[in-house]
Amino acid sequence: IRNISLAKRMVILFHIKNIWDKIYFHPLFYFIVVLSFITGHFRNLFYFTIIILVHELGHSLTGVLLGMKLKKIQIYPYGGCSKLEYDINVRLEKELLVLLMGPFTQLIFVYLVYYFKIDVESFFYTYSKFILIFNLLPIYPLDGGRIVNIILSYFLSYYNSLKLTYYSSYFILCITIIICFINSRNLIFYLIIISLLMELYKEIKNGNTYFRKFLLERYLNNYNFKKTKIVKNIYYMKRNYFHIFNYKTGFIKEKEYLERYFK
């Protein structure tokens, strides 16, 4: 470090500040920090947060390398969320890679901690397993729910895949609440479930906005999709496909149909 010039040090600090400025902690997270101090579990929360940050950096760095813009990294009591700016119509494979790199980066990080015998408590590994399993639950907006949505998008229209993802997420979340109520009385776990339920509700409210954005992107941009599909209306439009509409007057191209829709 001593051999690094002052100018280089300033550049490094500048980049660190930029990353830090993009990290946002949910208000409920601060409440849990206070609760962890009172109950003597702050070290547990520290390990938990470090693993989450590494997980989210896996998403964020992959997204940036693929040409996406990082807006911010949100840290919640149950996990995190990397807010990357990209088109809804981005190729499914690209979005899937960004989602998978979060768990993959987390696994690599935990392996390195174990390999180099870094002194951590045993529950560090327990928390890593919990975060990995919890984030892969098929509940939107967790990684698992988003992966389910991408898989469904290969078979269903964007509108229907989004709806089915929301409905299945609510169902699985309700089952999770019932199981927790029967088997656990942990206050922090209930706070995590409540915050997750609130996020799912906000996502559902924004469902129509997402769909209109999906259509507007198709109208304004020229995407290079290799597959073509004949559909009846906008609710049958799929990601990764170019569409021909079976209209009243005959078959018309996607651009022409969307031009009429937005006018």
Side-chain angles (χ1 to χ4, degrees), residues 19-50:
I19 293 171
W20 179 255
D21 288 342
K22 291 179 180 179
I23 298 174
Y24 165 78
F25 291 88
H26 191 274
L28 192 57
F29 180 86
Y30 293 109
F31 173 73
I32 290 180
V33 169
V34 174
L35 197 63
S36 69
F37 267 116
I38 295 171
T39 57
H41 293 92
F42 180 74
R43 183 178 292 184
N44 305 46
L45 182 64
F46 175 75
Y47 286 151
F48 193 83
T49 306
I50 290 296

PDB file of all heavy atoms in Angstrom, residues 19-50:
ATOM      1  N   ILE A  19     -19.252   2.688  -4.954  1.00  0.00           N
ATOM      2  CA  ILE A  19     -19.932   1.423  -4.657  1.00  0.00           C
ATOM      3  C   ILE A  19     -20.756   1.562  -3.385  1.00  0.00           C
ATOM      4  O   ILE A  19     -21.908   1.138  -3.320  1.00  0.00           O
ATOM      5  CB  ILE A  19     -18.896   0.284  -4.519  1.00  0.00           C
ATOM      6  CG1 ILE A  19     -18.224   0.022  -5.874  1.00  0.00           C
ATOM      7  CG2 ILE A  19     -19.561  -0.982  -3.995  1.00  0.00           C
ATOM      8  CD1 ILE A  19     -17.035  -0.918  -5.803  1.00  0.00           C
ATOM      9  N   TRP A  20     -20.157   2.189  -2.358  1.00  0.00           N
ATOM     10  CA  TRP A  20     -20.856   2.352  -1.079  1.00  0.00           C
ATOM     11  C   TRP A  20     -22.120   3.195  -1.244  1.00  0.00           C
ATOM     12  O   TRP A  20     -23.152   2.917  -0.629  1.00  0.00           O
ATOM     13  CB  TRP A  20     -19.932   2.971  -0.049  1.00  0.00           C
ATOM     14  CG  TRP A  20     -20.615   3.187   1.286  1.00  0.00           C
ATOM     15  CD1 TRP A  20     -21.047   4.348   1.817  1.00  0.00           C
ATOM     16  CD2 TRP A  20     -20.957   2.162   2.226  1.00  0.00           C
ATOM     17  NE1 TRP A  20     -21.638   4.138   3.032  1.00  0.00           N
ATOM     18  CE2 TRP A  20     -21.598   2.796   3.305  1.00  0.00           C
ATOM     19  CE3 TRP A  20     -20.784   0.778   2.244  1.00  0.00           C
ATOM     20  CZ2 TRP A  20     -22.066   2.084   4.404  1.00  0.00           C
ATOM     21  CZ3 TRP A  20     -21.255   0.071   3.351  1.00  0.00           C
ATOM     22  CH2 TRP A  20     -21.881   0.728   4.416  1.00  0.00           C
ATOM     23  N   ASP A  21     -22.036   4.231  -2.079  1.00  0.00           N
ATOM     24  CA  ASP A  21     -23.196   5.102  -2.314  1.00  0.00           C
ATOM     25  C   ASP A  21     -24.353   4.356  -2.957  1.00  0.00           C
ATOM     26  O   ASP A  21     -25.503   4.807  -2.894  1.00  0.00           O
ATOM     27  CB  ASP A  21     -22.806   6.286  -3.209  1.00  0.00           C
ATOM     28  CG  ASP A  21     -21.942   7.296  -2.465  1.00  0.00           C
ATOM     29  OD1 ASP A  21     -21.938   7.261  -1.215  1.00  0.00           O
ATOM     30  OD2 ASP A  21     -21.269   8.110  -3.125  1.00  0.00           O
ATOM     31  N   LYS A  22     -24.064   3.232  -3.606  1.00  0.00           N
ATOM     32  CA  LYS A  22     -25.109   2.459  -4.286  1.00  0.00           C
ATOM     33  C   LYS A  22     -25.675   1.340  -3.415  1.00  0.00           C
ATOM     34  O   LYS A  22     -26.524   0.579  -3.857  1.00  0.00           O
ATOM     35  CB  LYS A  22     -24.567   1.883  -5.596  1.00  0.00           C
ATOM     36  CG  LYS A  22     -24.305   2.961  -6.642  1.00  0.00           C
ATOM     37  CD  LYS A  22     -23.742   2.385  -7.922  1.00  0.00           C
ATOM     38  CE  LYS A  22     -23.495   3.502  -8.938  1.00  0.00           C
ATOM     39  NZ  LYS A  22     -22.918   3.007 -10.194  1.00  0.00           N
ATOM     40  N   ILE A  23     -25.172   1.246  -2.171  1.00  0.00           N
ATOM     41  CA  ILE A  23     -25.690   0.237  -1.244  1.00  0.00           C
ATOM     42  C   ILE A  23     -26.729   0.889  -0.330  1.00  0.00           C
ATOM     43  O   ILE A  23     -26.459   1.887   0.326  1.00  0.00           O
ATOM     44  CB  ILE A  23     -24.559  -0.379  -0.401  1.00  0.00           C
ATOM     45  CG1 ILE A  23     -23.558  -1.095  -1.311  1.00  0.00           C
ATOM     46  CG2 ILE A  23     -25.122  -1.361   0.623  1.00  0.00           C
ATOM     47  CD1 ILE A  23     -22.330  -1.621  -0.593  1.00  0.00           C
ATOM     48  N   TYR A  24     -27.930   0.313  -0.349  1.00  0.00           N
ATOM     49  CA  TYR A  24     -29.054   0.861   0.428  1.00  0.00           C
ATOM     50  C   TYR A  24     -29.542  -0.191   1.409  1.00  0.00           C
ATOM     51  O   TYR A  24     -29.810  -1.333   1.027  1.00  0.00           O
ATOM     52  CB  TYR A  24     -30.178   1.274  -0.521  1.00  0.00           C
ATOM     53  CG  TYR A  24     -31.510   1.521   0.144  1.00  0.00           C
ATOM     54  CD1 TYR A  24     -31.759   2.704   0.832  1.00  0.00           C
ATOM     55  CD2 TYR A  24     -32.521   0.570   0.082  1.00  0.00           C
ATOM     56  CE1 TYR A  24     -32.983   2.927   1.441  1.00  0.00           C
ATOM     57  CE2 TYR A  24     -33.749   0.794   0.685  1.00  0.00           C
ATOM     58  CZ  TYR A  24     -33.970   1.969   1.363  1.00  0.00           C
ATOM     59  OH  TYR A  24     -35.180   2.175   1.971  1.00  0.00           O
ATOM     60  N   PHE A  25     -29.654   0.191   2.684  1.00  0.00           N
ATOM     61  CA  PHE A  25     -30.148  -0.721   3.711  1.00  0.00           C
ATOM     62  C   PHE A  25     -31.613  -0.411   4.021  1.00  0.00           C
ATOM     63  O   PHE A  25     -31.966   0.725   4.314  1.00  0.00           O
ATOM     64  CB  PHE A  25     -29.308  -0.599   4.985  1.00  0.00           C
ATOM     65  CG  PHE A  25     -27.908  -1.129   4.832  1.00  0.00           C
ATOM     66  CD1 PHE A  25     -26.875  -0.305   4.377  1.00  0.00           C
ATOM     67  CD2 PHE A  25     -27.618  -2.450   5.116  1.00  0.00           C
ATOM     68  CE1 PHE A  25     -25.590  -0.798   4.221  1.00  0.00           C
ATOM     69  CE2 PHE A  25     -26.332  -2.946   4.964  1.00  0.00           C
ATOM     70  CZ  PHE A  25     -25.315  -2.126   4.513  1.00  0.00           C
ATOM     71  N   HIS A  26     -32.440  -1.428   3.940  1.00  0.00           N
ATOM     72  CA  HIS A  26     -33.870  -1.282   4.216  1.00  0.00           C
ATOM     73  C   HIS A  26     -34.075  -0.821   5.663  1.00  0.00           C
ATOM     74  O   HIS A  26     -33.327  -1.262   6.565  1.00  0.00           O
ATOM     75  CB  HIS A  26     -34.567  -2.631   3.984  1.00  0.00           C
ATOM     76  CG  HIS A  26     -36.055  -2.553   3.986  1.00  0.00           C
ATOM     77  ND1 HIS A  26     -36.801  -2.625   5.140  1.00  0.00           N
ATOM     78  CD2 HIS A  26     -36.941  -2.402   2.961  1.00  0.00           C
ATOM     79  CE1 HIS A  26     -38.082  -2.531   4.835  1.00  0.00           C
ATOM     80  NE2 HIS A  26     -38.193  -2.397   3.521  1.00  0.00           N
ATOM     81  N   PRO A  27     -35.057   0.056   5.940  1.00  0.00           N
ATOM     82  CA  PRO A  27     -35.295   0.529   7.318  1.00  0.00           C
ATOM     83  C   PRO A  27     -35.456  -0.600   8.332  1.00  0.00           C
ATOM     84  O   PRO A  27     -35.000  -0.491   9.467  1.00  0.00           O
ATOM     85  CB  PRO A  27     -36.596   1.337   7.187  1.00  0.00           C
ATOM     86  CG  PRO A  27     -36.583   1.830   5.776  1.00  0.00           C
ATOM     87  CD  PRO A  27     -35.941   0.743   4.979  1.00  0.00           C
ATOM     88  N   LEU A  28     -36.086  -1.695   7.911  1.00  0.00           N
ATOM     89  CA  LEU A  28     -36.276  -2.833   8.812  1.00  0.00           C
ATOM     90  C   LEU A  28     -34.945  -3.481   9.181  1.00  0.00           C
ATOM     91  O   LEU A  28     -34.797  -4.058  10.263  1.00  0.00           O
ATOM     92  CB  LEU A  28     -37.201  -3.868   8.150  1.00  0.00           C
ATOM     93  CG  LEU A  28     -37.749  -4.992   9.043  1.00  0.00           C
ATOM     94  CD1 LEU A  28     -38.506  -4.426  10.233  1.00  0.00           C
ATOM     95  CD2 LEU A  28     -38.648  -5.916   8.233  1.00  0.00           C
ATOM     96  N   PHE A  29     -33.956  -3.334   8.303  1.00  0.00           N
ATOM     97  CA  PHE A  29     -32.627  -3.880   8.571  1.00  0.00           C
ATOM     98  C   PHE A  29     -32.017  -3.199   9.798  1.00  0.00           C
ATOM     99  O   PHE A  29     -31.401  -3.854  10.637  1.00  0.00           O
ATOM    100  CB  PHE A  29     -31.727  -3.684   7.353  1.00  0.00           C
ATOM    101  CG  PHE A  29     -30.333  -4.211   7.521  1.00  0.00           C
ATOM    102  CD1 PHE A  29     -30.042  -5.542   7.249  1.00  0.00           C
ATOM    103  CD2 PHE A  29     -29.300  -3.376   7.963  1.00  0.00           C
ATOM    104  CE1 PHE A  29     -28.754  -6.031   7.424  1.00  0.00           C
ATOM    105  CE2 PHE A  29     -28.019  -3.869   8.127  1.00  0.00           C
ATOM    106  CZ  PHE A  29     -27.743  -5.196   7.856  1.00  0.00           C
ATOM    107  N   TYR A  30     -32.187  -1.857   9.911  1.00  0.00           N
ATOM    108  CA  TYR A  30     -31.632  -1.118  11.056  1.00  0.00           C
ATOM    109  C   TYR A  30     -32.296  -1.557  12.360  1.00  0.00           C
ATOM    110  O   TYR A  30     -31.653  -1.616  13.412  1.00  0.00           O
ATOM    111  CB  TYR A  30     -31.811   0.379  10.840  1.00  0.00           C
ATOM    112  CG  TYR A  30     -30.989   0.918   9.696  1.00  0.00           C
ATOM    113  CD1 TYR A  30     -31.589   1.317   8.507  1.00  0.00           C
ATOM    114  CD2 TYR A  30     -29.608   1.026   9.800  1.00  0.00           C
ATOM    115  CE1 TYR A  30     -30.832   1.806   7.442  1.00  0.00           C
ATOM    116  CE2 TYR A  30     -28.834   1.517   8.757  1.00  0.00           C
ATOM    117  CZ  TYR A  30     -29.463   1.902   7.586  1.00  0.00           C
ATOM    118  OH  TYR A  30     -28.704   2.371   6.539  1.00  0.00           O
ATOM    119  N   PHE A  31     -33.589  -1.851  12.277  1.00  0.00           N
ATOM    120  CA  PHE A  31     -34.307  -2.333  13.463  1.00  0.00           C
ATOM    121  C   PHE A  31     -33.717  -3.660  13.938  1.00  0.00           C
ATOM    122  O   PHE A  31     -33.510  -3.879  15.136  1.00  0.00           O
ATOM    123  CB  PHE A  31     -35.794  -2.499  13.139  1.00  0.00           C
ATOM    124  CG  PHE A  31     -36.592  -3.137  14.245  1.00  0.00           C
ATOM    125  CD1 PHE A  31     -36.899  -2.436  15.400  1.00  0.00           C
ATOM    126  CD2 PHE A  31     -37.016  -4.456  14.123  1.00  0.00           C
ATOM    127  CE1 PHE A  31     -37.623  -3.025  16.427  1.00  0.00           C
ATOM    128  CE2 PHE A  31     -37.735  -5.053  15.140  1.00  0.00           C
ATOM    129  CZ  PHE A  31     -38.041  -4.344  16.298  1.00  0.00           C
ATOM    130  N   ILE A  32     -33.391  -4.527  12.979  1.00  0.00           N
ATOM    131  CA  ILE A  32     -32.815  -5.823  13.315  1.00  0.00           C
ATOM    132  C   ILE A  32     -31.387  -5.663  13.852  1.00  0.00           C
ATOM    133  O   ILE A  32     -30.944  -6.425  14.705  1.00  0.00           O
ATOM    134  CB  ILE A  32     -32.862  -6.771  12.089  1.00  0.00           C
ATOM    135  CG1 ILE A  32     -34.316  -7.151  11.815  1.00  0.00           C
ATOM    136  CG2 ILE A  32     -32.021  -8.016  12.306  1.00  0.00           C
ATOM    137  CD1 ILE A  32     -34.532  -8.069  10.654  1.00  0.00           C
ATOM    138  N   VAL A  33     -30.656  -4.642  13.370  1.00  0.00           N
ATOM    139  CA  VAL A  33     -29.318  -4.346  13.908  1.00  0.00           C
ATOM    140  C   VAL A  33     -29.422  -4.006  15.398  1.00  0.00           C
ATOM    141  O   VAL A  33     -28.669  -4.534  16.225  1.00  0.00           O
ATOM    142  CB  VAL A  33     -28.658  -3.174  13.147  1.00  0.00           C
ATOM    143  CG1 VAL A  33     -27.412  -2.690  13.875  1.00  0.00           C
ATOM    144  CG2 VAL A  33     -28.278  -3.600  11.732  1.00  0.00           C
ATOM    145  N   VAL A  34     -30.370  -3.134  15.745  1.00  0.00           N
ATOM    146  CA  VAL A  34     -30.587  -2.757  17.148  1.00  0.00           C
ATOM    147  C   VAL A  34     -30.980  -3.977  17.972  1.00  0.00           C
ATOM    148  O   VAL A  34     -30.472  -4.208  19.074  1.00  0.00           O
ATOM    149  CB  VAL A  34     -31.680  -1.662  17.255  1.00  0.00           C
ATOM    150  CG1 VAL A  34     -32.016  -1.376  18.709  1.00  0.00           C
ATOM    151  CG2 VAL A  34     -31.228  -0.390  16.554  1.00  0.00           C
ATOM    152  N   LEU A  35     -31.879  -4.785  17.405  1.00  0.00           N
ATOM    153  CA  LEU A  35     -32.339  -5.999  18.077  1.00  0.00           C
ATOM    154  C   LEU A  35     -31.188  -6.973  18.310  1.00  0.00           C
ATOM    155  O   LEU A  35     -31.093  -7.613  19.360  1.00  0.00           O
ATOM    156  CB  LEU A  35     -33.440  -6.670  17.249  1.00  0.00           C
ATOM    157  CG  LEU A  35     -34.330  -7.701  17.940  1.00  0.00           C
ATOM    158  CD1 LEU A  35     -35.120  -7.056  19.071  1.00  0.00           C
ATOM    159  CD2 LEU A  35     -35.284  -8.341  16.936  1.00  0.00           C
ATOM    160  N   SER A  36     -30.265  -7.054  17.347  1.00  0.00           N
ATOM    161  CA  SER A  36     -29.125  -7.973  17.469  1.00  0.00           C
ATOM    162  C   SER A  36     -28.162  -7.508  18.561  1.00  0.00           C
ATOM    163  O   SER A  36     -27.547  -8.327  19.252  1.00  0.00           O
ATOM    164  CB  SER A  36     -28.393  -8.094  16.128  1.00  0.00           C
ATOM    165  OG  SER A  36     -27.720  -6.891  15.801  1.00  0.00           O
ATOM    166  N   PHE A  37     -28.013  -6.161  18.729  1.00  0.00           N
ATOM    167  CA  PHE A  37     -27.178  -5.625  19.812  1.00  0.00           C
ATOM    168  C   PHE A  37     -27.782  -5.980  21.170  1.00  0.00           C
ATOM    169  O   PHE A  37     -27.080  -6.397  22.091  1.00  0.00           O
ATOM    170  CB  PHE A  37     -27.057  -4.109  19.685  1.00  0.00           C
ATOM    171  CG  PHE A  37     -25.848  -3.664  18.912  1.00  0.00           C
ATOM    172  CD1 PHE A  37     -26.004  -2.988  17.703  1.00  0.00           C
ATOM    173  CD2 PHE A  37     -24.566  -3.904  19.374  1.00  0.00           C
ATOM    174  CE1 PHE A  37     -24.896  -2.569  16.979  1.00  0.00           C
ATOM    175  CE2 PHE A  37     -23.453  -3.483  18.665  1.00  0.00           C
ATOM    176  CZ  PHE A  37     -23.619  -2.815  17.458  1.00  0.00           C
ATOM    177  N   ILE A  38     -29.100  -5.803  21.263  1.00  0.00           N
ATOM    178  CA  ILE A  38     -29.792  -6.051  22.536  1.00  0.00           C
ATOM    179  C   ILE A  38     -29.707  -7.529  22.924  1.00  0.00           C
ATOM    180  O   ILE A  38     -29.484  -7.863  24.093  1.00  0.00           O
ATOM    181  CB  ILE A  38     -31.272  -5.606  22.439  1.00  0.00           C
ATOM    182  CG1 ILE A  38     -31.337  -4.077  22.244  1.00  0.00           C
ATOM    183  CG2 ILE A  38     -32.058  -6.024  23.682  1.00  0.00           C
ATOM    184  CD1 ILE A  38     -32.722  -3.564  21.911  1.00  0.00           C
ATOM    185  N   THR A  39     -29.876  -8.404  21.941  1.00  0.00           N
ATOM    186  CA  THR A  39     -29.903  -9.849  22.205  1.00  0.00           C
ATOM    187  C   THR A  39     -28.522 -10.500  22.150  1.00  0.00           C
ATOM    188  O   THR A  39     -28.396 -11.703  22.392  1.00  0.00           O
ATOM    189  CB  THR A  39     -30.834 -10.555  21.195  1.00  0.00           C
ATOM    190  OG1 THR A  39     -30.380 -10.268  19.852  1.00  0.00           O
ATOM    191  CG2 THR A  39     -32.266 -10.069  21.356  1.00  0.00           C
ATOM    192  N   GLY A  40     -27.477  -9.715  21.797  1.00  0.00           N
ATOM    193  CA  GLY A  40     -26.123 -10.258  21.748  1.00  0.00           C
ATOM    194  C   GLY A  40     -25.841 -11.106  20.524  1.00  0.00           C
ATOM    195  O   GLY A  40     -25.009 -12.021  20.584  1.00  0.00           O
ATOM    196  N   HIS A  41     -26.523 -10.801  19.423  1.00  0.00           N
ATOM    197  CA  HIS A  41     -26.337 -11.573  18.193  1.00  0.00           C
ATOM    198  C   HIS A  41     -25.772 -10.727  17.052  1.00  0.00           C
ATOM    199  O   HIS A  41     -25.993 -11.033  15.890  1.00  0.00           O
ATOM    200  CB  HIS A  41     -27.666 -12.191  17.750  1.00  0.00           C
ATOM    201  CG  HIS A  41     -28.179 -13.243  18.671  1.00  0.00           C
ATOM    202  ND1 HIS A  41     -29.035 -12.967  19.706  1.00  0.00           N
ATOM    203  CD2 HIS A  41     -27.917 -14.579  18.723  1.00  0.00           C
ATOM    204  CE1 HIS A  41     -29.316 -14.086  20.353  1.00  0.00           C
ATOM    205  NE2 HIS A  41     -28.650 -15.080  19.777  1.00  0.00           N
ATOM    206  N   PHE A  42     -25.019  -9.669  17.383  1.00  0.00           N
ATOM    207  CA  PHE A  42     -24.524  -8.780  16.333  1.00  0.00           C
ATOM    208  C   PHE A  42     -23.533  -9.489  15.405  1.00  0.00           C
ATOM    209  O   PHE A  42     -23.527  -9.238  14.203  1.00  0.00           O
ATOM    210  CB  PHE A  42     -23.866  -7.529  16.938  1.00  0.00           C
ATOM    211  CG  PHE A  42     -23.347  -6.587  15.897  1.00  0.00           C
ATOM    212  CD1 PHE A  42     -24.224  -5.803  15.163  1.00  0.00           C
ATOM    213  CD2 PHE A  42     -21.985  -6.496  15.624  1.00  0.00           C
ATOM    214  CE1 PHE A  42     -23.759  -4.936  14.180  1.00  0.00           C
ATOM    215  CE2 PHE A  42     -21.511  -5.633  14.641  1.00  0.00           C
ATOM    216  CZ  PHE A  42     -22.405  -4.860  13.918  1.00  0.00           C
ATOM    217  N   ARG A  43     -22.685 -10.361  15.979  1.00  0.00           N
ATOM    218  CA  ARG A  43     -21.718 -11.069  15.134  1.00  0.00           C
ATOM    219  C   ARG A  43     -22.443 -11.942  14.105  1.00  0.00           C
ATOM    220  O   ARG A  43     -22.018 -12.033  12.955  1.00  0.00           O
ATOM    221  CB  ARG A  43     -20.793 -11.932  15.989  1.00  0.00           C
ATOM    222  CG  ARG A  43     -19.724 -12.644  15.160  1.00  0.00           C
ATOM    223  CD  ARG A  43     -18.781 -13.453  16.025  1.00  0.00           C
ATOM    224  NE  ARG A  43     -17.948 -12.598  16.852  1.00  0.00           N
ATOM    225  CZ  ARG A  43     -16.989 -13.058  17.648  1.00  0.00           C
ATOM    226  NH1 ARG A  43     -16.759 -14.363  17.722  1.00  0.00           N
ATOM    227  NH2 ARG A  43     -16.265 -12.234  18.370  1.00  0.00           N
ATOM    228  N   ASN A  44     -23.539 -12.545  14.536  1.00  0.00           N
ATOM    229  CA  ASN A  44     -24.349 -13.349  13.611  1.00  0.00           C
ATOM    230  C   ASN A  44     -24.835 -12.495  12.450  1.00  0.00           C
ATOM    231  O   ASN A  44     -24.752 -12.895  11.284  1.00  0.00           O
ATOM    232  CB  ASN A  44     -25.554 -13.946  14.337  1.00  0.00           C
ATOM    233  CG  ASN A  44     -25.160 -14.742  15.562  1.00  0.00           C
ATOM    234  OD1 ASN A  44     -24.352 -14.308  16.376  1.00  0.00           O
ATOM    235  ND2 ASN A  44     -25.728 -15.930  15.696  1.00  0.00           N
ATOM    236  N   LEU A  45     -25.349 -11.303  12.784  1.00  0.00           N
ATOM    237  CA  LEU A  45     -25.862 -10.388  11.757  1.00  0.00           C
ATOM    238  C   LEU A  45     -24.743  -9.913  10.840  1.00  0.00           C
ATOM    239  O   LEU A  45     -24.943  -9.763   9.625  1.00  0.00           O
ATOM    240  CB  LEU A  45     -26.545  -9.182  12.413  1.00  0.00           C
ATOM    241  CG  LEU A  45     -27.169  -8.160  11.461  1.00  0.00           C
ATOM    242  CD1 LEU A  45     -28.320  -8.786  10.674  1.00  0.00           C
ATOM    243  CD2 LEU A  45     -27.663  -6.934  12.217  1.00  0.00           C
ATOM    244  N   PHE A  46     -23.544  -9.698  11.407  1.00  0.00           N
ATOM    245  CA  PHE A  46     -22.400  -9.254  10.617  1.00  0.00           C
ATOM    246  C   PHE A  46     -22.043 -10.298   9.558  1.00  0.00           C
ATOM    247  O   PHE A  46     -21.868  -9.972   8.377  1.00  0.00           O
ATOM    248  CB  PHE A  46     -21.196  -9.000  11.533  1.00  0.00           C
ATOM    249  CG  PHE A  46     -19.937  -8.648  10.796  1.00  0.00           C
ATOM    250  CD1 PHE A  46     -19.765  -7.387  10.239  1.00  0.00           C
ATOM    251  CD2 PHE A  46     -18.917  -9.589  10.643  1.00  0.00           C
ATOM    252  CE1 PHE A  46     -18.603  -7.057   9.547  1.00  0.00           C
ATOM    253  CE2 PHE A  46     -17.751  -9.276   9.950  1.00  0.00           C
ATOM    254  CZ  PHE A  46     -17.601  -8.009   9.404  1.00  0.00           C
ATOM    255  N   TYR A  47     -21.927 -11.552   9.977  1.00  0.00           N
ATOM    256  CA  TYR A  47     -21.640 -12.631   9.023  1.00  0.00           C
ATOM    257  C   TYR A  47     -22.733 -12.715   7.954  1.00  0.00           C
ATOM    258  O   TYR A  47     -22.450 -12.880   6.766  1.00  0.00           O
ATOM    259  CB  TYR A  47     -21.543 -13.977   9.746  1.00  0.00           C
ATOM    260  CG  TYR A  47     -20.281 -14.181  10.541  1.00  0.00           C
ATOM    261  CD1 TYR A  47     -20.265 -14.997  11.666  1.00  0.00           C
ATOM    262  CD2 TYR A  47     -19.085 -13.573  10.167  1.00  0.00           C
ATOM    263  CE1 TYR A  47     -19.102 -15.198  12.397  1.00  0.00           C
ATOM    264  CE2 TYR A  47     -17.922 -13.762  10.891  1.00  0.00           C
ATOM    265  CZ  TYR A  47     -17.939 -14.570  12.009  1.00  0.00           C
ATOM    266  OH  TYR A  47     -16.783 -14.762  12.723  1.00  0.00           O
ATOM    267  N   PHE A  48     -23.955 -12.635   8.406  1.00  0.00           N
ATOM    268  CA  PHE A  48     -25.124 -12.719   7.522  1.00  0.00           C
ATOM    269  C   PHE A  48     -25.058 -11.633   6.446  1.00  0.00           C
ATOM    270  O   PHE A  48     -25.252 -11.895   5.252  1.00  0.00           O
ATOM    271  CB  PHE A  48     -26.393 -12.547   8.369  1.00  0.00           C
ATOM    272  CG  PHE A  48     -27.666 -12.923   7.667  1.00  0.00           C
ATOM    273  CD1 PHE A  48     -28.078 -14.246   7.609  1.00  0.00           C
ATOM    274  CD2 PHE A  48     -28.466 -11.948   7.087  1.00  0.00           C
ATOM    275  CE1 PHE A  48     -29.253 -14.588   6.969  1.00  0.00           C
ATOM    276  CE2 PHE A  48     -29.636 -12.286   6.447  1.00  0.00           C
ATOM    277  CZ  PHE A  48     -30.041 -13.618   6.389  1.00  0.00           C
ATOM    278  N   THR A  49     -24.735 -10.407   6.872  1.00  0.00           N
ATOM    279  CA  THR A  49     -24.687  -9.269   5.949  1.00  0.00           C
ATOM    280  C   THR A  49     -23.532  -9.387   4.960  1.00  0.00           C
ATOM    281  O   THR A  49     -23.688  -9.076   3.773  1.00  0.00           O
ATOM    282  CB  THR A  49     -24.568  -7.948   6.735  1.00  0.00           C
ATOM    283  OG1 THR A  49     -25.627  -7.869   7.701  1.00  0.00           O
ATOM    284  CG2 THR A  49     -24.670  -6.746   5.804  1.00  0.00           C
ATOM    285  N   ILE A  50     -22.372  -9.838   5.424  1.00  0.00           N
ATOM    286  CA  ILE A  50     -21.211 -10.008   4.537  1.00  0.00           C
ATOM    287  C   ILE A  50     -21.523 -11.005   3.430  1.00  0.00           C
ATOM    288  O   ILE A  50     -21.223 -10.772   2.247  1.00  0.00           O
ATOM    289  CB  ILE A  50     -19.970 -10.480   5.344  1.00  0.00           C
ATOM    290  CG1 ILE A  50     -19.444  -9.353   6.243  1.00  0.00           C
ATOM    291  CG2 ILE A  50     -18.862 -10.948   4.391  1.00  0.00           C
ATOM    292  CD1 ILE A  50     -18.926  -8.137   5.499  1.00  0.00           C
TER     293      ILE A  50
END
